Amino acid sequence: MSNLIDGKQISAQVKEQVARETAALREKGITVGLAVVIVGDDPASRIYVNNKKRACETCGIQSFEYALPGTTSEAKLLELVEKLNGDPAVNGILVQLPLPKQISEQKVIAAISPEKDVDAFHAVNVGKIMIGDYDFLPCTPAGCLTLIDSTGVSIEGKRCVVIGRSNIVGKPMAMLLLHRNGTVTICHSRTQDLKEICREADILVAAVGKANFVTADMVKEGAVVIDVGMNRLENGKLCGDVDFEAVREKAGWITPVPGGVGPMTIATLMRNTLSAAKLQNQVKA
Ligand code: NAP
């Protein structure tokens, strides 16, 4: 039976630290603000946005919500982003994805000022991450790194396998593990011998978006297993990419869903917003 990586508890510690630091900034007359933009009425997006707003309250970060109708044009959204770029009360801008079909996500991400891009999706921030000289790390992969670190298992020299190569999870996750001197393999839908590759992993990160995709026979005895997946089952229950009950018998460490990567992603967003405020106010880290 593996050890559980408690994302709720670790994220609470991160948020407490952020709250302490925002309080210290307030004493210097500096407030921290995050603008959250949601377009349309996707129920999952609404839940994420509400969770982010709640986390802001816990952390002493002012949140500004902009809820726009699903029919909003690209030009209107770009206009709002431009306004937020110039608003000194807003240190971070988060545009909840996915966006409706008529709006190009890439255009919107490119319009966000890189200094306020607390999701770290802008090409400037992605490039900085590639060269290892960055201000922010993307929230989900950075959250995964914190969870791996919490186990005490060193990444250096370890076999790391990431399943998934999206721009927001898989690719940056692989890069962060590489920066920490892991030996990294990225798998995707065209990968051959996936099971054999996964079985070599000391650290296995699943970001596929398919319920119970990672089965026990794909996992090395004692491995650290990080489950990024958030899949809604027909009965409404949330479920990860990993067959949790079977894999926990084999892994050394495992994250649950819910209560693993999800809360950690939000805590990392709070940390990034604080970092953005410090950078914009020339406060040393
Ligand atoms: P995505 O853009 O759909 O990417 C999924 C990746 O999985 C793709 O690279 C795809 O390969 C790969 N894949 C699909 N089927 C596969 C197969 N049979 N074998 C191997 N690889 C396969 O998804 P994403 O945005 O990265 O998100 C992944 C999951 O994480 C989703 O469940 C999402 O909801 C969740 N998520 C959670 C958080 C959080 O905070 N917890 C944050 C973000 C995302 P190809 O590239 O070849 O198509």
Side-chain angles (χ1 to χ4, degrees):
M1 182 77 81
S2 53
N3 294 301
L4 206 64
I5 306 175
D6 188 344
K8 265 195 190 161
Q9 195 206 336
I10 299 162
S11 64
Q13 287 165 1
V14 171
K15 285 188 285 185
E16 277 165 26
Q17 177 62 29
V18 173
R20 277 194 290 275
E21 293 195 40
T22 57
L25 285 181
R26 245 191 326 277
E27 286 188 2
K28 294 183 186 161
I30 300 170
T31 56
V32 184
L34 174 68
V36 184
V37 182
I38 177 169
V39 186
D41 50 10
D42 176 53
S45 292
R46 178 35 72 194
I47 293 172
Y48 299 147
V49 164
N50 289 348
N51 289 343
K52 286 166 188 174
K53 280 167 59 189
R54 235 191 339 263
C56 282
E57 271 170 41
T58 309
C59 293
I61 294 174
Q62 206 177 350
S63 67
F64 308 95
E65 181 181 316
Y66 294 85
L68 307 181
T71 50
T72 301
S73 68
E74 187 177 275
K76 264 269 169 276
L77 181 56
L78 291 173
E79 202 179 292
L80 172 62
V81 169
E82 207 43 60
K83 187 182 128 212
L84 297 173
N85 281 341
D87 184 344
V90 171
N91 304 109
I93 302 170
L94 181 143
V95 179
Q96 185 66 46
L97 303 180
L99 291 170
K101 282 195 300 289
Q102 74 275 16
I103 302 177
S104 154
E105 291 184 355
Q106 282 315 316
K107 265 196 197 167
V108 174
I109 290 168
I112 297 172
S113 159
E115 297 80 45
K116 296 191 177 186
D117 169 40
V118 283
D119 262 335
F121 291 165
H122 192 288
V124 166
N125 289 322
V126 174
K128 283 182 162 190
I129 292 159
M130 280 289 284
I131 59 174
D133 175 20
Y134 41 76
D135 299 317
F136 320 108
L137 291 175
C139 301
T140 300
C144 291
L145 215 55
T146 306
L147 294 175
I148 296 167
D149 286 340
S150 77
T151 66
V153 172
S154 163
I155 297 167
E156 178 151 340
K158 296 284 163 46
R159 285 272 185 163
C160 306
V161 172
V162 179
I163 321 176
R165 56 174 166 179
S166 70
N167 288 333
I168 61 170
V169 189
K171 279 186 207 162
M173 185 73 243
M175 196 50 59
L176 300 194
L177 292 165
L178 182 63
H179 286 323
R180 297 285 290 277
N181 298 320
T183 301
V184 186
T185 304
I186 308 176
C187 299
H188 46 79
S189 65
R190 319 282 169 85
T191 298
Q192 292 179 5
D193 306 322
L194 181 70
K195 189 186 289 185
E196 283 66 33
I197 296 169
C198 290
R199 262 208 300 250
E200 288 191 357
D202 302 302
I203 297 169
L204 179 64
V205 181
V208 189
K210 290 187 174 161
N212 298 321
F213 182 82
V214 175
T215 47
D217 59 347
M218 294 166 75
V219 175
K220 181 177 176 176
E221 196 85 44
V224 176
V225 178
I226 305 292
D227 190 351
V228 182
M230 288 214 283
N231 310 294
R232 196 62 69 179
L233 299 179
E234 273 180 13
N235 62 11
K237 269 182 79 176
L238 198 63
C239 147
D241 288 344
V242 176
D243 179 0
F244 181 80
E245 290 307 330
V247 171
R248 76 179 304 193
E249 298 297 326
K250 206 163 172 197
W253 295 86
I254 189 166
T255 58
V257 178
V261 175
M264 213 47 235
T265 295
I266 295 179
T268 310
L269 173 69
M270 298 298 113
R271 199 161 57 190
N272 281 354
T273 306
L274 171 68
S275 302
K278 285 182 177 174
L279 279 169
Q280 288 155 32
N281 289 282
Q282 280 112 38
V283 176
K284 286 222 168 80

Coordinates of all heavy atoms in Angstrom, one line a residue, residues 17-18 21 59 82 106 127 158 163-164 206 247 282:
Q17 N 1.4 30.4 3.5 CA 2.6 31.2 3.3 C 2.3 32.4 2.4 O 2.8 33.5 2.7 CB 3.7 30.3 2.6 CG 5.0 31.0 2.3 CD 5.7 31.5 3.5 OE1 5.6 31.0 4.6 NE2 6.5 32.6 3.3
V18 N 1.5 32.2 1.4 CA 1.1 33.4 0.5 C 0.4 34.4 1.3 O 0.7 35.6 1.2 CB 0.3 32.9 -0.7 CG1 -0.2 34.1 -1.5 CG2 1.1 32.0 -1.6
E21 N 2.7 36.5 3.3 CA 3.4 37.5 2.5 C 2.6 38.6 2.0 O 3.0 39.7 1.9 CB 4.1 36.7 1.4 CG 5.2 35.8 1.9 CD 6.2 35.3 0.8 OE1 6.5 36.1 -0.1 OE2 6.5 34.1 0.8
C59 N -6.0 33.9 0.7 CA -4.6 34.4 0.6 C -4.5 35.9 0.7 O -3.4 36.5 0.6 CB -4.0 34.0 -0.7 SG -3.8 32.2 -0.8
E82 N -6.5 44.2 -22.7 CA -5.7 45.4 -22.8 C -6.0 46.4 -21.6 O -5.0 46.9 -21.1 CB -6.1 46.1 -24.1 CG -5.0 47.0 -24.7 CD -3.6 46.3 -24.7 OE1 -3.4 45.2 -25.2 OE2 -2.7 46.9 -24.0
Q106 N -5.0 31.4 -28.6 CA -3.6 31.8 -28.8 C -3.5 33.4 -28.8 O -2.6 33.9 -28.3 CB -3.1 31.2 -30.0 CG -2.6 29.8 -29.9 CD -1.9 29.5 -28.6 OE1 -1.0 30.2 -28.2 NE2 -2.2 28.4 -27.9
G127 N 9.1 30.4 -23.4 CA 10.5 30.5 -23.8 C 11.4 30.6 -22.6 O 12.5 29.9 -22.5
K158 N 16.6 10.3 -11.9 CA 15.5 9.3 -11.9 C 14.9 9.2 -13.3 O 15.0 10.2 -14.1 CB 14.4 9.7 -10.9 CG 14.9 9.6 -9.5 CD 15.0 8.2 -8.9 CE 15.8 8.2 -7.6 NZ 15.5 9.1 -6.6
I163 N 3.0 11.2 -19.4 CA 2.0 10.8 -20.4 C 1.2 12.0 -20.7 O 0.5 12.5 -19.9 CB 1.1 9.6 -20.0 CG1 1.9 8.5 -19.2 CG2 0.5 8.9 -21.2 CD1 1.0 7.4 -18.7
G164 N 1.3 12.4 -22.0 CA 0.6 13.7 -22.4 C 1.6 14.7 -22.8 O 2.7 14.8 -22.2
A206 N 0.7 11.3 -15.1 CA -0.3 11.0 -16.1 C -1.2 12.3 -16.3 O -1.8 12.8 -15.4 CB -1.2 9.9 -15.6
V247 N -3.5 0.8 -8.4 CA -2.2 1.4 -8.5 C -1.6 1.7 -7.1 O -0.4 1.5 -6.8 CB -2.1 2.6 -9.4 CG1 -0.8 3.3 -9.3 CG2 -2.4 2.2 -10.8
Q282 N 8.7 45.9 -7.6 CA 10.2 45.8 -7.3 C 10.5 45.4 -5.8 O 11.4 46.0 -5.2 CB 10.9 47.1 -7.6 CG 11.2 47.3 -9.1 CD 10.4 48.4 -9.7 OE1 10.2 49.4 -9.1 NE2 9.9 48.2 -10.9

